[in-house]
Amino acid sequence: MANVKAKMILDKNYQIAKVDERIYGSFIEHLGRAVYGGIYEPGHPEADEQGFRKDVIDLVKELQVPIVRYPGGNMVSAYNWEDGVGPKEDRPRRLELAWRTIETNEVGTNEFADWAKKVGAEVMMAVNLGTRGIDAARNFIEYTNHPGGTYWSDLRRSHGYEQPHNIKTWCLGNEMDGSWQIGHKTAHEYGRIAQETGKAMKLVDPTIELVACGSSSSGMPTFPEYEATTLDLAYDHLDFISLHQYYGNRSNDPANFLAKNLDMDHFIKTVISTCDYIKAKKRSKKSINLSFDEWNVWYHSNQADREIEPWSIAPPQLEDHYNFEDALLVGSMLITFLQHADRVKMAAMAQLVNVIAPIMTENNGRAWKQTIFYPYMHTSVFGRGISLKPILTTPKYDSKDFTDVPYVDSAAVYNEENEEVTIFLVNKHLESSMPIDIDLRSFEDYKLVEHIELVNDDLKAVNTADHQAVAPQSNKDSKLDNGVLSANLAKTSWNVIRLKKS
Ligand code: AHR
């Protein structure tokens, strides 16, 4: 067996960048039970006056989600935003083609903006560039962001929303590179419509930020040419390019599965290079940042989804029940974002409630936390500040698809204002714990606050409404002596080591 010991140097002067808190964003799509039966269930004992579940709101607040993407996803590519505003009794029921359900439109833009306020999040709104285009998008932003005195802004006011929502972040369509997307486009077709739609939207509200679609995954045959062409055509009006990626452990090979954030890292690096190549080509001073606005583990529910009959309202689609190893990979993916804090400025765990989500609900019943809830919560709550570059020495392994996989993944965030440092670590070793010594050279007066860990002997352990088999616990054995923090990272574990100036 390899020498199972790791070492790290952490210095406040080795800085990557300030973490943009929007990397802890999430996503609610009109899909399955995300909206209906998820965030919204009038008649539920926990429903508020608008029908939003307060138990779900509390869990979202625990995650401190700063921004939520809405309303899709694939769904947005055939969505008429007008269907979801105005008196509820007048709203049409539609065939929702992306997921083949019935959309009642009981919840739409205004209700979602209200819900986002309740959870303390911004809205990241997507426009339909599948079946629609410039006209619907410019009307939509006039409706949401213009104060009043025009047709669409006054329509919003007549709907009971005197003040504009001032939505600052907009996605120009969704996964337009994918053949499954309604209104799928070649890179050239997409780049042109993104440029012209973005131009019109910024004429209505120049303060917005725009996200263009990149590739639906690093495995797409058009990656990274799709990004290059889109950026070449639409650079002037763009602020972000989006990345999407889901992973699964279909062949039940945990060592290989836990290494998949290396693919994510490579994906991010390639998109950064592509953005900077176009920047150079255009002699531009502006850099395009990355919005990793769909990411997660997604595969457990694939078979069940094939068995769902079409055209029902809010069927249980994409309801992955996450296990312990999924939580470990989610932790490593979050660490990967922190390692790229200089360019990954926004991200969205897909999704937030019921649909491939950290939060699950029972219809008319309880709400509960999946395994992946915990690394997401820990990084969101403790990972705000400056992302530091840990100098890490760790043994490595090879797996089916990867070579030189570090057994330990790490990121550290220094919150200067609160005088706190948090170190996030994953030990991927399947058999052995990993002692680690962390040289805290520039944090002389800091004391150990706590070492939180997520451990379980069973990689396949799952949480349910009745039992939290995977939940954080405290590791009391870690100690800080003479500026060196010594900890033992349990085999296959997620670790959060918190320090504060005394
Ligand atoms: O998040 C689930 C789906 O995954 C989204 O609708 C789509 O954008 C992606 O393919």
Side-chain angles (χ1 to χ4, degrees):
M1 191 180 295
N3 175 22
V4 281
K5 187 164 174 53
K7 272 193 320 193
M8 186 197 285
I9 300 170
L10 196 64
D11 191 311
K12 64 172 73 151
N13 297 302
Y14 303 167
Q15 303 192 349
I16 299 171
K18 185 170 185 311
V19 176
D20 190 321
E21 63 172 29
R22 293 176 297 176
I23 64 166
Y24 305 120
S26 191
F27 178 26
I28 288 282
E29 178 167 2
H30 280 251
L31 193 190
R33 298 190 309 120
V35 174
Y36 308 111
I39 64 169
Y40 176 82
E41 194 178 351
H44 188 281
E46 289 279 343
D48 68 8
E49 67 298 342
Q50 282 187 289
F52 291 121
R53 283 182 61 158
K54 288 183 284 185
D55 54 348
V56 174
I57 289 174
D58 288 345
L59 289 174
V60 176
K61 281 183 170 168
E62 257 188 76
L63 289 168
Q64 295 187 15
V65 181
I67 189 164
V68 186
R69 188 166 175 252
Y70 176 84
N74 293 340
M75 170 270 188
V76 80
S77 295
Y79 180 55
N80 299 334
W81 67 267
E82 301 89 335
D83 290 349
V85 297
K88 287 199 179 185
E89 60 280 10
D90 297 343
R91 297 187 192 174
R93 287 160 74 99
R94 299 262 189 213
L95 289 185
E96 198 295 290
L97 299 184
W99 303 102
R100 307 192 76 218
T101 59
I102 302 285
E103 172 57 55
T104 64
N105 285 303
E106 259 181 87
V107 172
T109 299
N110 294 317
E111 293 82 19
F112 189 75
D114 286 339
W115 180 82
K117 263 200 202 108
K118 290 177 192 200
V119 300
E122 299 281 319
V123 177
M124 179 185 194
M125 186 65 81
V127 300
N128 172 355
L129 290 189
T131 60
R132 306 185 87 186
I134 306 169
D135 210 35
R138 60 131 181 180
N139 295 344
F140 192 14
I141 190 166
E142 184 182 319
Y143 181 92
T144 59
N145 284 18
H146 195 69
T150 64
Y151 178 79
W152 292 107
S153 58
D154 285 345
L155 185 66
R156 181 199 69 241
R157 293 167 71 205
S158 77
H159 292 158
Y161 292 82
E162 182 60 32
Q163 297 306 320
H165 297 303
N166 280 328
I167 296 167
K168 290 294 170 220
T169 313
W170 292 77
C171 301
L172 294 163
N174 176 71
E175 295 189 350
M176 300 310 304
D177 64 323
S179 58
W180 59 88
Q181 203 68 212
I182 297 164
H184 159 63
K185 290 179 173 50
T186 64
H188 192 268
E189 289 166 344
Y190 175 65
R192 287 292 301 130
I193 193 146
Q195 165 79 341
E196 296 307 319
T197 306
K199 185 205 297 180
M201 291 174 74
K202 283 195 169 171
L203 285 170
V204 177
D205 183 350
T207 70
I208 59 170
E209 289 194 305
L210 290 172
V211 186
C213 297
S215 295
S216 313
S217 81
S218 57
M220 293 297 286
T222 48
F223 170 71
E225 192 50 45
Y226 205 90
E227 284 79 349
T229 305
T230 296
L231 289 167
D232 209 5
L233 291 166
Y235 205 88
D236 296 347
H237 300 298
L238 299 183
D239 303 282
F240 289 90
I241 189 94
S242 93
L243 299 81
H244 291 182
Q245 188 73 53
Y246 298 97
Y247 295 114
N249 187 9
R250 290 190 177 80
S251 53
N252 192 17
D253 179 347
N256 197 52
F257 175 66
L258 293 177
K260 292 199 177 191
N261 63 307
L262 267 61
D263 176 73
M264 179 182 234
D265 179 68
H266 187 247
F267 188 14
I268 289 171
K269 285 177 178 148
T270 308
V271 175
I272 292 171
S273 309
T274 307
C275 290
D276 292 350
Y277 160 65
I278 301 296
K279 177 182 178 179
K281 189 175 161 189
K282 290 186 174 292
R283 318 291 192 252
S284 175
K285 289 196 174 10
K286 175 173 87 172
S287 292
I288 300 289
N289 283 321
L290 277 57
S291 172
F292 215 119
D293 47 41
E294 285 190 34
W295 68 271
N296 205 342
V297 172
W298 174 15
Y299 74 108
H300 298 285
S301 59
N302 293 169
Q303 182 52 38
D305 285 333
R306 284 190 267 277
E307 287 154 23
I308 291 177
E309 289 291 318
W311 315 131
S312 60
I313 297 172
Q317 291 167 312
L318 279 61
E319 297 205 359
D320 273 41
H321 285 183
Y322 290 112
N323 60 29
F324 177 52
E325 68 186 11
D326 299 331
L328 296 177
L329 182 63
V330 160
S332 286
M333 290 165 97
L334 286 156
I335 283 174
T336 305
F337 293 150
L338 287 170
Q339 290 168 344
H340 288 287
D342 53 334
R343 294 302 287 276
V344 178
K345 297 286 182 188
M346 208 149 53
M349 175 186 261
Q351 298 192 10
L352 187 54
V353 184
N354 288 331
V355 172
I356 42 175
I359 298 170
M360 296 299 287
T361 68
E362 298 168 328
N363 289 341
N364 206 30
R366 297 165 291 180
W368 52 278
K369 298 170 184 173
Q370 296 239 50
T371 61
I372 62 169
F373 185 97
Y374 295 107
Y376 181 26
M377 178 187 72
H378 290 146
T379 45
S380 177
V381 172
F382 301 123
R384 302 191 186 210
I386 296 164
S387 177
L388 299 179
K389 186 165 179 43
I391 309 300
L392 177 71
T393 310
T394 167
K396 298 182 176 177
Y397 68 96
D398 293 342
S399 72
K400 185 167 106 353
D401 299 322
F402 303 93
T403 45
D404 283 340
V405 183
Y407 273 115
V408 175
D409 278 342
S410 76
V413 177
Y414 170 39
N415 189 319
E416 211 166 357
E417 210 180 315
N418 298 348
E419 300 186 307
E420 287 174 2
V421 188
T422 305
I423 307 164
F424 303 101
L425 300 138
V426 173
N427 177 12
K428 300 182 177 182
H429 206 296
L430 300 179
E431 279 128 38
S432 174
S433 62
M434 181 81 65
I436 185 165
D437 283 343
I438 306 176
D439 174 350
L440 292 164
R441 45 181 60 193
S442 62
F443 294 102
E444 296 97 5
D445 308 326
Y446 279 66
K447 293 269 171 295
L448 175 64
V449 177
E450 59 178 339
H451 175 175
I452 308 166
E453 61 181 12
L454 212 54
V455 291
N456 202 294
D457 280 338
D458 182 5
L459 286 173
K460 309 298 178 192
V462 295
N463 291 348
T464 64
D466 293 311
H467 182 51
Q468 290 277 294
V470 180
Q473 61 185 44
S474 184
N475 178 333
K476 304 278 186 208
D477 298 332
S478 304
K479 47 182 189 311
L480 177 54
D481 271 332
N482 290 325
V484 177
L485 188 132
S486 305
N488 195 32
L489 310 177
K491 72 166 185 171
T492 51
S493 62
W494 162 252
N495 300 267
V496 182
I497 297 178
R498 298 183 55 222
L499 303 143
K500 189 169 175 64
K501 193 165 181 174
S502 50

